[in-house]
Amino acid sequence: MGHNHSHHHHHHAGEVKSPNGIFIFSIALNLAFVAIEAVVGFVENSLSLLSDAGHNLSDVFSLLLVLFSFWLSKIHSSKKYTYGLKKSTVLISLLNAIILLVAVGAIIIESIHKFKEPAEVNGIAVSWTAFVGIIINGLTVLLLMRGQKSDINVRGAFLHMVADTLVSVGVVVSGFIITLTGWNAVDPIVSIAIAAVILVSTWNLLAESITLSLDGTPQGIDHEHISSLITSCPGVTDVHHIHIWAISTTRNALTCHVVISDMEKMEEIKKEIKTRLKAAGITHATIETESCRCHCDEHDCGCEE
């Protein structure tokens, strides 16, 4: 059997050059607003502000996760951890999702209690505080806008902050409604709506985190498409034993057996496969090549002798 093992390591652009300064500033800015929003929420007895503060805190964790992943990606591999500590970013996202689900449950329970025993809410204070949130979240969105085009983690944080800006708009609206109508029940209604927004984003995070933790195929990677990319390369007659998984939240890996018609063109074929895989989002590939003749000894592949 003519086998060749080729190990190729590719580094994601975001792992080499990361906007650390932008993330640190965004984290500090949002953390300060969480403190302000929580204090006003307690003082003015606004559940919608408190639930929005919890949502903003989840955004801070999201930003921290991306920043932390930049640092983890720089840790070199060792004999014990052959991929370094990159997988820990997946475990952190899983833990974060579980904590957020608990927080959503607490918000819903408190909202039900507020429906039974409505409390007076200062609509003006709620609106002004949430309006500040729109400015801060909007500024964070602008800071992340450029980086989200080239880094999937930054894109996730960007979309999270866009959603948060919309949530703050909802809190402003509830504050105005309370001020104009005196209908305090709108506060727990908005808090439940905010909880629903958090639940949707958290559920997706939880599902993806579990998939990545179990070495499932990462979101956005189609197994059949990858197989077609490889088999359509000139000189490739078949591909099997394809395994695709995530090394971290920013790097995907693949191993496969590729059957080629001409072993003399092996390096040229592997180079083309690597190029195609990298364009498809797989930055680490381990490719084992087999000759068509050897493959036909075990399979009726129809190769020409």
Side-chain angles (χ1 to χ4, degrees), residues 181-273:
T181 66
W183 187 37
N184 291 311
V186 74
D187 184 59
I189 290 175
V190 170
S191 68
I192 288 178
I194 292 173
V197 172
I198 301 172
L199 182 61
V200 170
S201 60
T202 302
W203 190 260
N204 291 334
L205 175 64
L206 179 65
E208 181 66 8
S209 297
I210 292 175
T211 298
L212 297 183
S213 298
L214 296 175
D215 286 338
T217 303
Q219 193 173 32
I221 302 293
D222 183 81
H223 194 281
E224 293 300 322
H225 176 63
I226 295 299
S227 178
S228 297
L229 280 181
I230 297 174
T231 54
S232 63
C233 286
V236 175
T237 61
D238 189 28
V239 61
H240 52 279
H241 296 321
I242 300 177
H243 300 283
I244 308 171
W245 73 99
I247 298 175
S248 70
T249 54
T250 58
R251 295 187 66 184
N252 299 321
L254 171 145
T255 61
C256 67
H257 289 201
V258 176
V259 182
I260 61 178
S261 56
D262 188 352
M263 292 300 286
E264 292 184 0
K265 296 182 179 180
M266 179 180 63
E267 293 301 325
E268 179 183 333
I269 293 172
K270 287 190 297 183
K271 183 178 181 181
E272 175 63 22
I273 293 174

Coordinates of all heavy atoms in Angstrom, one line a residue, residues 181-273:
T181 N -48.9 56.4 29.9 CA -50.1 55.7 30.3 C -50.1 55.3 31.8 O -51.2 55.0 32.3 CB -50.3 54.4 29.4 OG1 -49.2 53.5 29.7 CG2 -50.2 54.8 28.0
G182 N -49.0 55.2 32.4 CA -48.9 54.7 33.8 C -49.1 53.2 33.9 O -49.3 52.7 35.0
W183 N -49.1 52.5 32.8 CA -49.3 51.1 32.8 C -48.0 50.3 33.1 O -47.2 50.1 32.2 CB -49.9 50.6 31.4 CG -50.3 49.2 31.3 CD1 -50.9 48.5 32.3 CD2 -50.1 48.3 30.2 NE1 -51.1 47.2 31.9 CE2 -50.6 47.0 30.6 CE3 -49.5 48.4 29.0 CZ2 -50.6 45.9 29.8 CZ3 -49.5 47.3 28.1 CH2 -50.0 46.1 28.5
N184 N -47.8 50.1 34.4 CA -46.5 49.5 34.8 C -46.3 48.0 34.4 O -45.2 47.5 34.4 CB -46.5 49.5 36.4 CG -46.3 51.0 36.9 OD1 -45.5 51.7 36.4 ND2 -47.2 51.4 37.8
A185 N -47.4 47.4 33.9 CA -47.3 46.0 33.5 C -46.4 45.8 32.3 O -46.0 44.7 32.0 CB -48.7 45.4 33.3
V186 N -46.2 46.9 31.5 CA -45.4 46.9 30.3 C -44.0 46.6 30.7 O -43.2 46.0 29.9 CB -45.5 48.2 29.6 CG1 -44.7 49.3 30.2 CG2 -45.0 48.0 28.1
D187 N -43.6 46.9 31.9 CA -42.2 46.6 32.4 C -41.9 45.1 32.4 O -40.9 44.6 31.7 CB -41.9 47.2 33.7 CG -40.5 47.0 34.2 OD1 -39.6 47.5 33.5 OD2 -40.3 46.4 35.3
P188 N -42.7 44.2 33.1 CA -42.4 42.8 33.0 C -42.6 42.2 31.6 O -42.0 41.2 31.2 CB -43.4 42.2 34.0 CG -44.4 43.2 34.2 CD -43.8 44.5 34.0
I189 N -43.5 42.8 30.8 CA -43.8 42.3 29.4 C -42.5 42.5 28.6 O -42.1 41.6 27.9 CB -44.9 43.1 28.8 CG1 -46.3 42.7 29.4 CG2 -45.0 42.8 27.3 CD1 -47.5 43.5 28.9
V190 N -41.9 43.7 28.7 CA -40.6 43.9 28.0 C -39.5 43.0 28.5 O -38.7 42.5 27.8 CB -40.2 45.4 28.1 CG1 -38.8 45.6 27.6 CG2 -41.2 46.3 27.4
S191 N -39.5 42.8 29.8 CA -38.4 41.9 30.4 C -38.6 40.5 29.9 O -37.6 39.8 29.6 CB -38.5 42.0 31.9 OG -39.7 41.3 32.4
I192 N -39.8 40.0 29.7 CA -40.0 38.7 29.1 C -39.6 38.7 27.7 O -39.0 37.7 27.2 CB -41.5 38.3 29.2 CG1 -41.8 38.0 30.7 CG2 -41.8 37.1 28.4 CD1 -43.3 37.6 30.9
A193 N -39.8 39.8 27.0 CA -39.4 39.9 25.6 C -37.9 39.8 25.5 O -37.3 39.2 24.6 CB -39.9 41.1 24.9
I194 N -37.2 40.5 26.4 CA -35.7 40.5 26.5 C -35.2 39.1 26.8 O -34.3 38.7 26.2 CB -35.2 41.5 27.5 CG1 -35.6 43.0 27.1 CG2 -33.7 41.4 27.8 CD1 -35.3 44.0 28.1
A195 N -35.9 38.5 27.7 CA -35.5 37.1 28.1 C -35.6 36.2 26.9 O -34.8 35.3 26.7 CB -36.4 36.6 29.2
A196 N -36.7 36.4 26.0 CA -36.8 35.6 24.8 C -35.7 35.8 23.9 O -35.2 34.9 23.2 CB -38.2 36.0 24.2
V197 N -35.3 37.1 23.7 CA -34.1 37.4 22.9 C -32.9 36.7 23.3 O -32.1 36.1 22.6 CB -33.9 38.9 22.8 CG1 -32.6 39.2 22.0 CG2 -35.0 39.6 22.1
I198 N -32.6 36.8 24.7 CA -31.5 36.1 25.3 C -31.5 34.6 25.0 O -30.6 33.9 24.7 CB -31.3 36.4 26.8 CG1 -31.3 37.9 27.0 CG2 -30.1 35.7 27.4 CD1 -31.3 38.3 28.5
L199 N -32.8 34.0 25.2 CA -33.0 32.6 25.1 C -32.6 32.1 23.7 O -32.0 31.1 23.5 CB -34.4 32.2 25.4 CG -34.7 30.7 25.4 CD1 -33.9 30.0 26.4 CD2 -36.2 30.5 25.7
V200 N -33.1 32.9 22.7 CA -32.8 32.5 21.3 C -31.3 32.4 21.0 O -30.8 31.5 20.5 CB -33.5 33.4 20.3 CG1 -33.0 33.1 18.9 CG2 -35.0 33.3 20.4
S201 N -30.6 33.5 21.4 CA -29.2 33.6 21.1 C -28.4 32.6 22.0 O -27.4 32.0 21.5 CB -28.6 35.0 21.4 OG -28.9 35.4 22.7
T202 N -28.9 32.4 23.2 CA -28.2 31.4 24.1 C -28.4 30.0 23.6 O -27.5 29.2 23.7 CB -28.7 31.6 25.5 OG1 -28.5 32.9 26.0 CG2 -28.0 30.6 26.5
W203 N -29.6 29.7 23.1 CA -29.9 28.4 22.7 C -29.0 28.0 21.5 O -28.5 26.9 21.4 CB -31.4 28.3 22.3 CG -31.8 26.9 22.0 CD1 -32.0 26.3 20.8 CD2 -32.1 25.9 23.0 NE1 -32.4 24.9 21.0 CE2 -32.4 24.7 22.3 CE3 -32.1 25.9 24.4 CZ2 -32.8 23.5 23.0 CZ3 -32.5 24.7 25.0 CH2 -32.8 23.5 24.3
N204 N -28.8 28.9 20.6 CA -27.9 28.7 19.4 C -26.5 28.5 19.9 O -25.8 27.6 19.4 CB -28.0 29.9 18.5 CG -29.3 30.0 17.8 OD1 -30.0 29.0 17.6 ND2 -29.7 31.2 17.3
L205 N -26.1 29.3 20.9 CA -24.7 29.2 21.5 C -24.6 27.8 22.1 O -23.6 27.2 22.0 CB -24.5 30.3 22.5 CG -23.2 30.2 23.3 CD1 -22.0 30.4 22.3 CD2 -23.1 31.3 24.3
L206 N -25.6 27.4 22.9 CA -25.6 26.1 23.6 C -25.5 25.0 22.6 O -24.7 24.0 22.8 CB -26.8 26.0 24.5 CG -26.9 24.7 25.3 CD1 -25.8 24.6 26.3 CD2 -28.3 24.6 26.0
A207 N -26.3 25.0 21.6 CA -26.4 23.9 20.6 C -25.0 23.8 19.9 O -24.5 22.7 19.7 CB -27.5 24.2 19.6
E208 N -24.5 24.9 19.5 CA -23.2 24.9 18.7 C -22.1 24.5 19.7 O -21.2 23.8 19.2 CB -22.9 26.3 18.2 CG -21.6 26.4 17.4 CD -21.6 25.6 16.1 OE1 -22.6 25.0 15.7 OE2 -20.5 25.5 15.5
S209 N -22.1 24.9 20.9 CA -21.0 24.6 21.9 C -21.0 23.1 22.1 O -20.0 22.5 22.2 CB -21.3 25.3 23.2 OG -21.1 26.7 23.0
I210 N -22.2 22.5 22.3 CA -22.3 21.1 22.5 C -21.8 20.3 21.3 O -21.1 19.3 21.4 CB -23.8 20.6 22.8 CG1 -24.2 21.2 24.2 CG2 -23.9 19.1 22.8 CD1 -25.7 20.9 24.5
T211 N -22.2 20.8 20.1 CA -21.7 20.1 18.8 C -20.2 20.2 18.7 O -19.6 19.1 18.4 CB -22.3 20.9 17.6 OG1 -23.7 20.8 17.6 CG2 -21.8 20.3 16.3
L212 N -19.6 21.3 19.0 CA -18.2 21.5 19.0 C -17.5 20.6 20.1 O -16.4 20.1 19.8 CB -17.7 22.9 19.1 CG -18.2 23.9 18.0 CD1 -17.7 25.3 18.2 CD2 -17.8 23.3 16.6
S213 N -18.1 20.6 21.2 CA -17.5 19.8 22.3 C -17.5 18.3 22.0 O -16.6 17.6 22.5 CB -18.3 20.0 23.6 OG -18.3 21.3 24.0
L214 N -18.4 17.8 21.2 CA -18.5 16.4 20.8 C -17.8 16.2 19.5 O -18.0 15.1 18.9 CB -20.0 16.0 20.7 CG -20.8 16.0 22.0 CD1 -22.2 15.7 21.7 CD2 -20.2 15.1 23.0
D215 N -17.0 17.2 19.1 CA -16.3 17.1 17.8 C -17.2 16.9 16.6 O -16.8 16.2 15.6 CB -15.2 16.0 17.8 CG -14.0 16.4 18.7 OD1 -13.8 17.6 18.9 OD2 -13.3 15.5 19.2
G216 N -18.4 17.5 16.6 CA -19.3 17.5 15.5 C -18.8 18.4 14.4 O -17.9 19.2 14.6
T217 N -19.4 18.3 13.2 CA -19.0 19.2 12.1 C -19.4 20.6 12.5 O -20.6 20.8 12.8 CB -19.7 18.7 10.8 OG1 -19.4 17.4 10.5 CG2 -19.3 19.6 9.7
P218 N -18.5 21.5 12.4 CA -18.8 22.9 12.8 C -19.9 23.6 11.9 O -20.0 23.2 10.8 CB -17.5 23.7 12.6 CG -16.4 22.6 12.7 CD -17.1 21.4 12.1
Q219 N -20.6 24.5 12.5 CA -21.6 25.2 11.8 C -21.0 26.0 10.6 O -20.0 26.6 10.7 CB -22.4 26.2 12.7 CG -23.6 26.8 12.2 CD -24.4 27.6 13.2 OE1 -23.8 28.2 14.1 NE2 -25.7 27.6 13.1
G220 N -21.7 25.9 9.5 CA -21.2 26.6 8.3 C -20.3 25.7 7.4 O -19.9 26.1 6.3
I221 N -20.0 24.5 7.9 CA -19.2 23.6 7.1 C -20.1 22.4 6.6 O -20.7 21.7 7.5 CB -18.0 23.0 7.9 CG1 -17.1 24.1 8.4 CG2 -17.2 22.0 7.1 CD1 -16.4 24.8 7.3
D222 N -20.2 22.2 5.3 CA -21.1 21.2 4.8 C -20.2 20.0 4.4 O -19.3 20.1 3.5 CB -21.9 21.7 3.6 CG -22.8 20.7 3.0 OD1 -23.9 20.5 3.6 OD2 -22.5 20.0 2.0
H223 N -20.5 18.8 5.0 CA -19.7 17.6 4.7 C -19.7 17.2 3.2 O -18.6 16.9 2.7 CB -20.2 16.5 5.6 CG -19.3 15.3 5.7 ND1 -19.2 14.4 4.7 CD2 -18.5 14.9 6.7 CE1 -18.3 13.5 5.0 NE2 -17.9 13.8 6.2
E224 N -20.8 17.3 2.6 CA -20.9 16.9 1.2 C -20.2 17.8 0.3 O -19.6 17.5 -0.7 CB -22.4 16.8 0.8 CG -23.2 15.7 1.5 CD -22.6 14.3 1.2 OE1 -22.2 14.1 0.0 OE2 -22.6 13.4 2.1
H225 N -20.3 19.1 0.7 CA -19.6 20.2 -0.1 C -18.1 20.0 -0.1 O -17.4 20.1 -1.1 CB -20.0 21.5 0.4 CG -19.3 22.7 -0.3 ND1 -19.4 22.9 -1.6 CD2 -18.4 23.6 0.2 CE1 -18.6 24.0 -2.0 NE2 -18.0 24.4 -0.9
I226 N -17.6 19.7 1.1 CA -16.2 19.4 1.3 C -15.7 18.2 0.5 O -14.7 18.2 -0.1 CB -15.8 19.3 2.8 CG1 -16.1 20.5 3.6 CG2 -14.3 18.8 3.0 CD1 -15.3 21.7 3.1
S227 N -16.5 17.2 0.5 CA -16.2 16.0 -0.2 C -16.1 16.3 -1.7 O -15.2 15.8 -2.4 CB -17.3 14.9 0.0 OG -17.0 13.7 -0.7
S228 N -17.1 17.1 -2.2 CA -17.1 17.5 -3.6 C -15.9 18.3 -4.0 O -15.3 18.2 -5.1 CB -18.4 18.2 -3.9 OG -19.5 17.4 -3.8
L229 N -15.5 19.2 -3.1 CA -14.3 20.1 -3.3 C -13.1 19.3 -3.5 O -12.3 19.6 -4.4 CB -14.1 21.0 -2.1 CG -15.0 22.3 -2.0 CD1 -14.5 23.1 -0.7 CD2 -14.8 23.2 -3.2
I230 N -13.0 18.2 -2.8 CA -11.8 17.3 -2.8 C -11.8 16.5 -4.1 O -10.8 16.4 -4.9 CB -11.6 16.5 -1.6 CG1 -11.4 17.3 -0.3 CG2 -10.5 15.5 -1.7 CD1 -11.4 16.6 1.0
T231 N -12.9 15.8 -4.3 CA -13.0 14.9 -5.5 C -13.0 15.6 -6.8 O -12.6 15.0 -7.8 CB -14.3 14.0 -5.4 OG1 -15.5 14.9 -5.3 CG2 -14.3 13.1 -4.2
S232 N -13.3 16.9 -6.8 CA -13.3 17.6 -8.1 C -11.9 18.2 -8.4 O -11.7 18.7 -9.5 CB -14.3 18.8 -8.0 OG -13.9 19.7 -7.0
C233 N -10.9 17.9 -7.5 CA -9.5 18.3 -7.8 C -9.0 17.4 -8.9 O -9.2 16.2 -8.9 CB -8.7 18.2 -6.5 SG -8.9 19.5 -5.3
P234 N -8.2 18.0 -9.8 CA -7.6 17.2 -10.9 C -6.7 16.1 -10.3 O -5.9 16.4 -9.4 CB -6.8 18.2 -11.7 CG -7.5 19.5 -11.5 CD -8.0 19.5 -10.0
G235 N -6.8 14.9 -10.8 CA -6.0 13.8 -10.3 C -6.6 13.0 -9.1 O -6.1 12.0 -8.8
V236 N -7.7 13.5 -8.5 CA -8.3 12.8 -7.4 C -9.5 11.9 -8.0 O -10.3 12.4 -8.7 CB -8.9 13.8 -6.4 CG1 -9.7 13.1 -5.3 CG2 -7.8 14.6 -5.8
T237 N -9.4 10.7 -7.6 CA -10.5 9.7 -8.1 C -11.5 9.4 -7.0 O -12.6 9.0 -7.3 CB -9.8 8.4 -8.6 OG1 -9.1 7.8 -7.5 CG2 -8.9 8.7 -9.7
D238 N -11.1 9.6 -5.7 CA -12.0 9.2 -4.6 C -11.5 9.8 -3.3 O -10.3 10.1 -3.2 CB -12.2 7.7 -4.5 CG -13.3 7.3 -3.6 OD1 -14.2 8.1 -3.4 OD2 -13.2 6.2 -2.9
V239 N -12.4 10.0 -2.4 CA -12.0 10.4 -1.0 C -12.9 9.7 0.0 O -14.1 9.5 -0.3 CB -12.1 12.0 -0.8 CG1 -13.6 12.4 -1.1 CG2 -11.6 12.4 0.5
H240 N -12.3 9.3 1.1 CA -13.1 8.6 2.1 C -12.5 8.8 3.5 O -11.5 9.5 3.6 CB -13.2 7.1 1.8 CG -11.8 6.4 1.6 ND1 -11.2 6.5 0.4 CD2 -11.0 5.7 2.5 CE1 -10.0 5.8 0.5 NE2 -9.9 5.3 1.7
H241 N -13.1 8.3 4.5 CA -12.7 8.6 5.9 C -12.5 10.1 6.2 O -11.5 10.5 6.8 CB -11.4 7.8 6.2 CG -11.5 6.3 6.1 ND1 -12.6 5.7 6.6 CD2 -10.7 5.4 5.6 CE1 -12.5 4.4 6.4 NE2 -11.3 4.2 5.8
I242 N -13.5 10.9 5.8 CA -13.5 12.3 6.1 C -14.0 12.6 7.5 O -15.0 12.2 7.9 CB -14.3 13.1 5.1 CG1 -13.9 12.9 3.6 CG2 -14.3 14.6 5.4 CD1 -14.7 13.6 2.6
H243 N -13.1 13.3 8.3 CA -13.5 13.7 9.6 C -13.3 15.2 9.7 O -12.2 15.7 9.4 CB -12.7 12.9 10.7 CG -12.9 11.4 10.6 ND1 -14.0 10.8 11.1 CD2 -12.1 10.5 10.1 CE1 -13.9 9.5 10.9 NE2 -12.7 9.3 10.3
I244 N -14.3 15.9 10.1 CA -14.2 17.4 10.3 C -14.6 17.8 11.7 O -15.7 17.3 12.2 CB -15.1 18.1 9.3 CG1 -14.8 17.6 7.8 CG2 -14.9 19.6 9.3 CD1 -15.9 18.1 6.8
W245 N -13.8 18.6 12.4 CA -14.1 19.0 13.7 C -13.5 20.4 14.0 O -12.7 20.9 13.2 CB -13.7 18.0 14.7 CG -12.2 17.9 15.0 CD1 -11.5 18.5 16.0 CD2 -11.2 17.2 14.1 NE1 -10.1 18.2 15.9 CE2 -9.9 17.4 14.7 CE3 -11.3 16.5 13.0 CZ2 -8.8 16.9 14.2 CZ3 -10.1 16.0 12.4 CH2 -8.9 16.2 13.0
A246 N -13.8 20.9 15.1 CA -13.2 22.2 15.5 C -12.1 22.1 16.5 O -12.3 21.4 17.5 CB -14.3 23.1 16.1
I247 N -11.0 22.7 16.2 CA -9.9 22.7 17.2 C -10.2 23.8 18.3 O -9.9 23.6 19.4 CB -8.6 23.1 16.5 CG1 -8.2 22.0 15.4 CG2 -7.4 23.2 17.5 CD1 -7.0 22.4 14.6
S248 N -10.8 24.9 17.8 CA -11.2 25.9 18.7 C -12.4 26.6 18.1 O -13.0 26.1 17.1 CB -10.1 26.9 18.9 OG -9.9 27.7 17.7
T249 N -12.9 27.7 18.7 CA -14.0 28.4 18.1 C -13.6 29.2 16.8 O -14.5 29.7 16.2 CB -14.6 29.4 19.1 OG1 -13.5 30.3 19.6 CG2 -15.2 28.7 20.3
T250 N -12.3 29.2 16.5 CA -11.9 29.9 15.3 C -11.2 29.0 14.3 O -10.9 29.5 13.2 CB -11.0 31.1 15.7 OG1 -9.8 30.5 16.4 CG2 -11.7 32.1 16.5
R251 N -10.9 27.8 14.6 CA -10.1 26.9 13.7 C -10.8 25.6 13.5 O -11.2 24.9 14.5 CB -8.7 26.7 14.2 CG -7.8 28.0 14.3 CD -6.4 27.6 14.6 NE -5.8 26.8 13.6 CZ -4.5 26.3 13.7 NH1 -3.8 26.5 14.8 NH2 -4.0 25.6 12.7
N252 N -10.9 25.2 12.3 CA -11.5 23.9 11.9 C -10.4 23.0 11.4 O -9.5 23.4 10.7 CB -12.6 24.1 10.9 CG -13.8 24.9 11.4 OD1 -14.1 24.8 12.6 ND2 -14.3 25.8 10.6
A253 N -10.6 21.7 11.6 CA -9.6 20.7 11.2 C -10.3 19.6 10.4 O -11.5 19.4 10.5 CB -8.9 20.1 12.4
L254 N -9.5 18.9 9.6 CA -10.0 17.8 8.8 C -8.9 16.7 8.6 O -7.7 17.0 8.5 CB -10.4 18.3 7.4 CG -10.8 17.3 6.3 CD1 -11.9 17.8 5.4 CD2 -9.5 17.0 5.4
T255 N -9.4 15.5 8.6 CA -8.5 14.4 8.2 C -9.2 13.6 7.1 O -10.5 13.5 7.2 CB -8.1 13.4 9.3 OG1 -9.3 12.8 9.9 CG2 -7.4 14.2 10.4
C256 N -8.5 13.0 6.1 CA -9.2 12.3 5.1 C -8.2 11.4 4.4 O -7.0 11.6 4.4 CB -9.9 13.2 4.1 SG -8.8 14.2 3.1
H257 N -8.7 10.4 3.7 CA -7.9 9.6 2.8 C -8.3 10.0 1.3 O -9.4 9.9 1.0 CB -8.2 8.1 3.0 CG -7.7 7.5 4.3 ND1 -7.5 6.2 4.5 CD2 -7.3 8.2 5.4 CE1 -7.0 6.0 5.7 NE2 -6.9 7.2 6.3
V258 N -7.3 10.3 0.6 CA -7.5 10.7 -0.8 C -6.9 9.8 -1.8 O -5.7 9.4 -1.6 CB -7.0 12.2 -1.1 CG1 -7.2 12.5 -2.6 CG2 -7.7 13.2 -0.2
V259 N -7.7 9.3 -2.7 CA -7.2 8.3 -3.8 C -6.8 9.2 -5.0 O -7.6 9.9 -5.5 CB -8.2 7.3 -4.1 CG1 -7.6 6.3 -5.1 CG2 -8.7 6.5 -2.9
I260 N -5.6 9.0 -5.4 CA -5.1 9.8 -6.6 C -4.6 8.8 -7.7 O -4.2 7.7 -7.5 CB -4.0 10.8 -6.2 CG1 -2.8 10.1 -5.7 CG2 -4.5 11.8 -5.2 CD1 -1.6 11.0 -5.3
S261 N -4.7 9.3 -8.9 CA -4.4 8.5 -10.1 C -2.9 8.4 -10.4 O -2.4 7.5 -11.0 CB -5.1 9.0 -11.3 OG -4.8 10.4 -11.6
D262 N -2.2 9.5 -10.0 CA -0.7 9.6 -10.3 C 0.0 10.0 -9.0 O 0.0 11.2 -8.6 CB -0.5 10.6 -11.4 CG 1.0 10.6 -11.9 OD1 1.8 9.9 -11.2 OD2 1.2 11.2 -12.9
M263 N 0.8 9.1 -8.4 CA 1.5 9.4 -7.1 C 2.6 10.4 -7.3 O 3.0 11.1 -6.4 CB 2.0 8.1 -6.5 CG 1.0 7.1 -6.0 SD -0.1 7.8 -4.7 CE 1.1 7.8 -3.3
E264 N 3.1 10.6 -8.6 CA 4.1 11.5 -8.8 C 3.6 13.0 -8.7 O 4.4 13.9 -8.5 CB 4.7 11.3 -10.3 CG 5.5 10.0 -10.4 CD 6.1 9.9 -11.8 OE1 5.9 10.8 -12.6 OE2 6.8 8.8 -12.0
K265 N 2.3 13.1 -8.8 CA 1.7 14.5 -8.7 C 1.1 14.7 -7.3 O 0.3 15.6 -7.1 CB 0.6 14.7 -9.8 CG 1.1 14.6 -11.2 CD 0.0 14.9 -12.2 CE 0.5 14.9 -13.6 NZ -0.6 15.1 -14.6
M266 N 1.5 13.9 -6.4 CA 0.9 13.9 -5.0 C 1.0 15.2 -4.4 O 0.0 15.8 -3.9 CB 1.6 12.8 -4.2 CG 1.1 12.8 -2.7 SD 2.0 11.5 -1.8 CE 3.7 12.2 -1.9
E267 N 2.2 15.9 -4.4 CA 2.4 17.2 -3.7 C 1.6 18.2 -4.4 O 1.0 19.1 -3.7 CB 3.9 17.5 -3.7 CG 4.7 16.6 -2.8 CD 4.3 16.6 -1.4 OE1 3.8 17.7 -0.9 OE2 4.4 15.6 -0.7
E268 N 1.5 18.2 -5.7 CA 0.7 19.2 -6.4 C -0.8 19.1 -6.1 O -1.5 20.1 -5.9 CB 0.9 19.0 -7.9 CG 0.2 20.0 -8.8 CD 0.4 19.7 -10.3 OE1 1.4 19.1 -10.6 OE2 -0.5 20.0 -11.1
I269 N -1.3 17.8 -6.0 CA -2.7 17.6 -5.7 C -3.0 18.0 -4.3 O -4.0 18.7 -4.0 CB -3.0 16.1 -5.9 CG1 -2.9 15.7 -7.4 CG2 -4.4 15.8 -5.4 CD1 -3.1 14.3 -7.7
K270 N -2.1 17.7 -3.3 CA -2.3 18.1 -1.9 C -2.4 19.6 -1.8 O -3.1 20.1 -1.0 CB -1.2 17.4 -1.0 CG -1.4 16.0 -0.8 CD -0.5 15.4 0.2 CE 1.0 15.6 -0.1 NZ 1.9 15.1 0.9
K271 N -1.5 20.3 -2.5 CA -1.5 21.7 -2.4 C -2.8 22.3 -2.9 O -3.3 23.3 -2.3 CB -0.3 22.3 -3.3 CG -0.1 23.8 -3.2 CD 1.0 24.2 -4.0 CE 1.2 25.7 -3.9 NZ 2.4 26.2 -4.8
E272 N -3.3 21.8 -4.0 CA -4.6 22.2 -4.5 C -5.8 22.0 -3.5 O -6.6 22.8 -3.2 CB -4.9 21.6 -5.8 CG -6.3 21.9 -6.4 CD -6.5 23.4 -6.7 OE1 -5.5 24.1 -6.9 OE2 -7.7 23.8 -6.8
I273 N -5.7 20.8 -2.9 CA -6.7 20.4 -1.9 C -6.6 21.4 -0.7 O -7.7 21.9 -0.2 CB -6.5 19.0 -1.4 CG1 -6.8 18.0 -2.5 CG2 -7.5 18.7 -0.2 CD1 -6.6 16.5 -2.2

